[in-house]
Each structure stands twice: as C-alpha cells, then as structure tokens.
Amino acid sequence: MTETLTYRDAIRRALADAMRADPDVFVIGEEVGRYGGAYAVTTGLLEEFGPERMIDTPISEQGIVGTAVGAAMAGMRPVAELMYVDFIGVSMDQLCNQAAKIRYMFGGQIGVPMVLRTQGGTGRSAGAQHSQSLEAYVMHMPGLRLAMPATVADAYHLLRQSLRQPDPVVFIEHKSLYAHAEEVDLSAPVPDWGRAAIRRQGRDLVIVTYSRQVLYALEAAETLAAEGIEATVIDLRTLNPLDFATIGAEVERTGRAMVVSEGPLTAGVAAELAARISEECFDYLENPVLRIAGEDVPISVSTALETASVPGPELIADAARRLVA
Amino acid sequence: MTAAASSNTGLEALYRQMRRIRTFEERVGELFVRGESAGSMLHLSIGEESPAVGVCTAMKDGDTFTTHHRGHGIFLARGADPNRMMAEIAGKETGYCRGKGGSMHIADMGLGHLGANAIVGGGVPAVVGAALVAKRRNSGAVSVAFFGDGAMQQGVIYESMNMAALWGLPAVFVCINNQWGMGTRIDQATRATALHERAKAFGLAAETVDGRDVREVHAAAARILDGARAGSPGFLAVDCYRFFGHARKDKSPYRTPEEEDEGRARDPIAFARAALIEGGMAEGAIGAIDDEVAREMDASIDFAIASAAPAMDTMFRDVYAPGEPEPEPLRTRIDRILARD
C-alpha cells in the first residue's frame, strides 16, 4: 500500500510498531513523552504506550545513555534519545567507554543491544553547538554500529532493523529531513541491514554518500544527466556495517569516485571511505578519489555562512563535472 | 540592603534595567516574526528580569560570568550594547561575535562575558577556572555562572560547585529557577526542589530568593557575592517564571492557562512599578522611562536589519589564532587537486 509519509512520520511509525511488537522496547530521553520530542518525532506515543515506556528524563545526557546501557544489559531494548547529536559530548563516556566496549572487554559474556537515536546536521541557523555532523566520532569507535537514513522508507526500516541488532546502534537522523515527504510502500522489500542502496546508476562516476547528501547527490546527478554525464549515487544507509562490496563494484565499473559527507573534511567519514577506495580499487581509478565534505570550521549561526560551510548540489555537480572532464 | 536598592531612586534604576531587558526581548520576538533573525532558536527571558538585574547590579567591573542559552537579559544588565546584541541575533557582522555565534553564543570579553552556551551546564565549570585565576592573581574579581533549573540535573554542576568550595574560590553559582526546563517542570525533573540545599551540601553559602522583588534579589546577591569575594563561594537560586514558551516556536501547550496566569502574576516589573508609585513616583515619569527604552530597543532592530551579513571569507577566520594558517576552503582544495592533470 503506498502512502505519503514524512521522514518524521516514518521514524514515529517505526518506534510505535517496534513497541507494539516487543514489550521490552522503550524510549528514554529529554522531552520524548509529554512534549512529543523537540522535532515532534515522538508525538502521540506517550498516549499509546504510557510513561513507563516513554520515559521523560531530566537534562542528564550522561545518565540517559548510561541508563540505556544498563537496561540493555539487564535484558530490555532501550531507545535512548539525545535531542541533538551535539550533546553526545556530554554522554561520550557512557557511549564509547561503556556501551561500545562491554561485549569485548567482558570476554563476550554480554552485549548492549540499545539504540541511541539522535539528529544532526545544518539547516536551522542553530549555531555551533546545535548543527554539527558528528558521525565520524561514532564511526571511529569499534563496537558501535551506525545508521543514517536518507529516505523515508529507510527512516522506518533502518530503525526497525536497528532494534533487532545484538550490539549498540547509533541512529542519526538529519534535522532538515524531518518534513521531507515521499510516496512509500512500507511493505515493499528493502535492502538487508548493512547493505548499501544504489539510488541511481551511471557509467561515468560514483558518488558515495549518506543521509541528506544523498538527496543533494541525486539532484546533482539529475543536472549532470542533462549535460550527458551519468553518475551512480550510492546511499550507504549504514556506515557500520559498511557495504564496501557495492562501493568497490561501482568504482571498478566507472573508474571515478567521489565521497560526499556533511561532516568536517579532516579525518571524517569521507576520509575513511576515500582511503579505502584508493587502497582497494587503485588499479581501476582514473582520478584521485575526491572528498567533498563540510569545511574544517565550526558551523556559524549566520545563515549564509552556515549554508556555505557544507556541500550542496551545485558543489557536488561542479566537482563531478571536473572529475570526469 | 545596599544603597543601590534602598531608595526609590535605586529602585528606579533597577526598574529601568528590567524594562530594557523586557523590551529588548519583545523586539527579539519581532525580529523573528519579521524573518530577520538567524533561525528560531531564540530563548526569551521575559519574566526573568529580576535575577539578571538583581545579581548583575551586585557585580563589579572586572567580574566575569557565563550564561546559559537564555542569557540576553543577563548580558544587557552587565552593560551590553543592544544594537550589537540584536545584530548578533540576526547573524550580522556587526554583532558581538561577528554573526557566528547568535543568540545562544553571545560573548564579550571586554565586559567579562565569557560566553553564553547551548549545552545545558556547559558554561558552568569555566567559572571555576576564572575564579581560580582571580584567586591566584589576587585580582579581587568574582566569577558568576548563570544557569537555569534544568541544568541542576547535569553532573558537571556538582563537580564545579565541589571544586569551588574545596579550593575556596571567588565563584558564585546563580540558578535562575523559572520552573521549566523546556517542557519539563522542576518537580518533574527532581524530587529535591529546594535547590540551594544541594549547594549547602558541598559547603557553599546558599540561599533561595523570591524573584518578584528585584531589591530582595539584589540584596541576596550582594551577600553571596561579598562572601565569594572574600573566598567563600556561594549559590543563589532565584525563583521566577518563564512567561512564554521554551523557544520562539514553542507555544507551551504543556502548561495550563491557570498556571501561566499565576506565574505571570509574579511579574517583577509590575511589582517594581507598583512599588515606585507607592514610593511617590508619578505614572507619567515611569511612562517616560518606558518610552525612552522603547526608542532605544526599536533602534536596535533598525541597526540589526541595516547591518551586513558576514563576508564569506570570514568563515575560515578564528578557527585558530590570528596569524595561524586558516583551513583550506574546499573549493580551493578541489581546484588544486584537479589541476594536477
């Protein structure tokens, strides 16, 4: 059945369906219940599931994430929410020293099957501490899975899949996608957990990306197609696990690759992906693998500076043109 | 009670400062409605003028402070230029932080403002550091952390208070208890609502004061600040009410109209106005203050709108110190790499 849903609706639906299916799933975070979420994602869930499963917390990010760690170890399926990914700094110990390491350092006795839902990215003039793309922090940490949906269907399915994982998953939404609407059929099959999606296929180059930049890359690919340049756009969907097989096959076919990320360039997600493509597809590459990423600066509140500090469709198209020239 | 607050003249000055804050905040709301603000994350301090004015008038030149995200009023009470504040809120180059910080990150080292903060509790420990330096250098300065009741549930507050007490630092912790952390009422966030008791447990001099009468706030702040200046750090909770929603788009549906009416009846400005009239001041004279303030704040909107957006090359400035190499812009990098062929 097709229906029109927003990215926000899809996440809410995934949470509700998961809670209906499994009484051990619960949500814990700031303003998730009575308020309905800072971005209205959890609106209405308190009414259906009650305060024991939609737990409003004080402003205590370290406590929220740590409570989820303990609840997951004790056998439940917590979905902890950080209102902004920027607040991950406050909870970093619980995420990186506790959740990420418990299975390994305790010799495989127990896992931490929790989901940490949060949102990041630019687009609201929210300034330096409310606009960041911090996925590289998470991707860098062994033991953490990382999902970043770009489409409405993935907002639903990746969250459902995250809630079936045996290990901690950080699920990062993009604040500028919440109102993004698509016609979707949620009963249609989707790629398995850990598989990338080829959103568009072309002969000339591969654009590897995730989250909002998938939409920008598709927009750029449309522009390029009108000029006779055909680009493949790969939506990674999950950064850990990373589906390098799909990336590698497309790079070998086209011989040119660029990686697009909203997070800062240096030591970021694009850097890791570009290094891996260079290492593993070296014999097939006709050009250096290009990283298109956020500038190495904090995000300004000024709308003009904010917009210019992250990639957009024009920059992607321009770089692609020159890469294939 | 100090001379500043004991006379009708003293109260008039406090009233004027509170009126400036309220009118400024109303103009911030107008800036947003006119589509001239940088975004909607504007947290107004209407209803919370007495902690700002009562505490800041007890501070001295050379004292430093940090604020939370709802800090416009505090900075105005410490002498901020409304034009440069409004320009910052509009994301303009004439703003205090050249349009990079915005409403939640206003700072001015010249006036001792070590920064507003968008991480709840994020600015509090810096006050311990500033107080450590003041003590080491014998400067006589006090450093004051302003934060909301929401921050009282963040662990960093307790690390900060404990160290300040342990080392006898000239630090003061001011909790502006407006009863609401976003959509969570204080009694939904903690069972320990007598907030000053927590500070006492660390050995701080601690009080709670009703924010309705700015003179009471000023007197309590003066006591706490005097103690801190002498090496006995303190804590002051000021009870007040957040008149409007959390940020500009929040209509606070989680509060009842009855509660809001009751909260707004605790208006420190209306209270001061009534006290001035009772003390013999003519209504017309108060109206003249209000008009003068309105003109000052109207001008701040004009200034902000007339100011230019920051130049694009400023994006790379101030990531590191002046004279250090700036980060290479992405487009420059792409040009360099692709030019190799």
Side-chain angles (χ1 to χ4, degrees):
Chain A
M1 184 195 76
T2 57
E3 55 186 324
T4 305
L5 281 184
T6 63
Y7 187 87
R8 171 191 286 119
D9 295 334
I11 293 161
R12 183 188 307 121
R13 176 93 59 93
L15 286 171
D17 286 353
M19 290 171 87
R20 286 176 200 131
D22 180 354
D24 283 336
V25 175
F26 70 94
V27 175
I28 180 168
E30 294 157 7
E31 309 293 350
V32 295
R34 286 179 299 268
Y35 200 95
Y39 284 88
V41 170
T42 52
T43 303
L45 298 186
L46 177 67
E47 288 69 19
E48 179 173 353
F49 298 103
E52 291 195 347
R53 298 184 72 192
M54 291 299 300
I55 303 177
D56 279 318
T57 66
I59 304 172
S60 306
E61 287 86 9
Q62 187 168 204
I64 293 164
V65 176
T67 300
V69 170
M73 292 175 76
M76 290 186 75
R77 277 269 175 191
V79 180
E81 180 179 321
L82 288 178
M83 196 182 289
Y84 286 79
V85 74
D86 313 71
F87 306 167
I88 207 169
V90 182
S91 62
M92 208 54 153
D93 171 66
Q94 291 302 317
L95 184 66
C96 291
N97 288 327
Q98 316 304 332
K101 294 180 172 58
I102 278 170
R103 182 185 295 283
Y104 188 86
M105 70 185 177
F106 296 161
Q109 293 178 68
I110 194 165
V112 183
M114 62 174 278
V115 172
L116 179 60
R117 262 194 64 234
T118 186
Q119 58 79 24
T122 57
R124 290 203 61 215
S125 288
Q129 296 174 343
H130 278 57
S131 307
Q132 297 175 89
S133 297
L134 297 179
E135 55 271 18
Y137 288 16
V138 177
M139 193 183 186
H140 185 67
M141 187 55 53
L144 298 178
R145 301 298 190 185
L146 175 57
M148 296 188 69
T151 66
V152 171
D154 272 351
Y156 179 83
H157 289 292
L158 281 175
L159 187 49
R160 292 301 305 273
Q161 291 171 343
S162 295
L163 277 161
R164 292 185 204 110
Q165 298 309 309
D167 293 308
V169 178
V170 180
F171 187 92
I172 308 180
E173 299 149 23
H174 198 293
K175 64 169 67 65
S176 292
L177 290 181
Y178 282 129
H180 171 66
E182 289 174 30
E183 281 274 315
V184 289
D185 177 0
L186 292 182
S187 63
V190 288
D192 290 340
W193 174 255
R195 293 297 304 275
I198 296 176
R199 300 290 181 200
R200 178 187 183 111
Q201 205 157 22
R203 61 175 184 270
D204 296 318
L205 82 155
V206 186
I207 304 172
V208 183
T209 187
Y210 58 95
S211 190
R212 176 172 65 165
Q213 294 294 332
V214 172
L215 306 189
Y216 286 173
L218 287 169
E219 203 179 319
E222 198 68 28
T223 308
L224 293 166
E227 302 165 19
I229 300 169
E230 293 295 339
T232 286
V233 175
I234 296 178
D235 174 0
L236 291 171
R237 305 175 70 246
T238 59
L239 299 176
N240 183 345
L242 179 69
D243 179 7
F244 195 78
T246 297
I247 300 171
E250 287 297 301
V251 173
E252 289 177 15
R253 206 170 56 75
T254 63
R256 293 183 183 89
M258 57 191 256
V259 187
V260 184
S261 165
E262 188 165 323
L265 179 84
T266 299
V269 171
E272 168 60 25
L273 294 170
R276 193 148 168 203
I277 294 168
S278 300
E279 283 175 345
E280 300 200 21
C281 308
F282 184 73
D283 292 340
Y284 297 88
L285 288 169
E286 295 177 32
N287 290 81
V289 182
L290 207 57
R291 288 175 294 156
I292 306 293
E295 302 284 3
D296 282 327
V297 303
I299 306 294
S300 289
V301 80
S302 149
T303 311
L305 292 185
E306 179 193 30
T307 307
S309 65
V310 298
E314 298 78 17
L315 179 65
I316 296 169
D318 187 42
R321 250 176 233 124
R322 298 171 58 188
L323 194 64
V324 300
Chain B
M1 197 170 285
T2 64
S6 59
S7 66
N8 225 36
T9 320
L11 181 58
E12 185 186 319
L14 298 174
Y15 172 86
R16 175 188 293 270
Q17 288 307 317
M18 291 200 294
R19 175 58 71 190
R20 288 178 74 240
I21 293 170
R22 179 154 308 175
T23 307
F24 180 82
E25 297 287 46
E26 288 166 355
R27 295 301 182 272
V28 171
E30 189 186 326
L31 192 77
F32 167 69
V33 170
R34 289 171 67 172
E36 297 282 354
S37 64
S40 65
M41 301 191 83
L42 307 167
H43 306 86
L44 305 187
S45 63
I46 292 178
E48 307 173 25
E49 295 86 354
S50 73
V53 172
V55 176
C56 288
T57 50
M59 291 169 69
K60 293 182 178 170
D61 287 352
D63 289 351
T64 57
F65 63 106
T66 62
T67 81
H68 54 343
H69 58 286
R70 202 178 300 283
H72 300 163
I74 297 159
F75 190 26
L76 277 170
R78 279 309 290 154
D81 170 1
N83 287 358
R84 293 184 66 197
M85 284 189 70
M86 197 65 84
E88 188 58 39
I89 291 164
K92 298 298 182 66
E93 65 169 354
T94 53
Y96 269 106
C97 305
R98 300 173 180 179
K100 285 178 166 168
S103 165
M104 297 198 288
H105 303 293
I106 293 182
D108 183 64
M109 300 310 128
L111 290 170
H113 191 353
L114 305 182
N117 216 294
I119 302 298
V120 174
V124 175
V127 157
V128 178
L132 185 79
V133 173
K135 181 176 180 178
R136 181 77 52 87
R137 294 188 176 166
N138 243 332
S139 71
V142 172
S143 194
V144 183
F146 291 90
F147 49 89
D149 45 290
M152 288 299 287
Q153 323 314 335
Q154 285 281 36
V156 71
I157 301 274
Y158 301 97
E159 298 180 24
S160 302
M161 291 199 290
N162 186 53
M163 289 191 282
L166 180 66
W167 299 326
L169 301 180
V172 170
F173 302 87
V174 176
C175 178
I176 300 176
N177 183 0
N178 68 13
Q179 316 299 320
W180 286 89
M182 199 166 166
T184 301
R185 206 174 53 220
I186 181 71
D187 61 355
Q188 295 164 335
T190 183
R191 298 229 171 155
T193 53
L195 303 178
H196 65 279
E197 293 294 343
R198 303 187 194 180
K200 275 188 186 163
F202 290 101
L204 295 168
E207 317 184 16
T208 292
V209 64
D210 186 335
R212 193 160 26 170
D213 187 346
V214 66
R215 294 169 298 188
E216 296 293 330
V217 179
H218 175 87
R223 282 193 296 275
I224 297 280
L225 274 148
D226 286 350
R229 223 175 283 283
S232 175
F235 174 96
L236 181 65
V238 185
D239 277 337
C240 53
Y241 192 72
R242 193 189 77 203
F243 280 19
F244 298 104
H246 167 68
R248 273 303 65 201
K249 287 184 173 171
D250 175 19
K251 307 287 180 222
S252 51
Y254 41 83
R255 309 198 295 197
T256 63
E258 294 74 30
E259 187 207 295
E260 293 198 332
D261 287 347
E262 202 176 304
R264 290 174 189 159
R266 294 165 58 183
D267 187 343
I269 294 182
F271 188 90
R273 192 174 192 281
L276 283 172
I277 290 168
E278 198 178 320
M281 191 166 177
E283 292 212 23
I286 300 175
I289 294 177
D290 295 350
D291 292 345
E292 193 186 321
V293 166
R295 283 193 295 276
E296 180 191 16
M297 299 309 169
D298 284 343
S300 75
I301 289 215
D302 297 340
F303 179 83
I305 292 175
S307 294
M312 294 311 283
D313 66 348
T314 64
M315 188 197 298
F316 302 96
R317 199 169 303 155
D318 295 323
V319 182
Y320 304 102
E324 297 287 331
E326 291 180 351
E328 184 181 22
L330 200 65
R331 283 183 183 276
T332 312
R333 204 181 121 265
I334 294 168
D335 288 347
R336 192 166 51 72
I337 292 165
L338 295 181
R340 277 200 310 231
D341 288 349

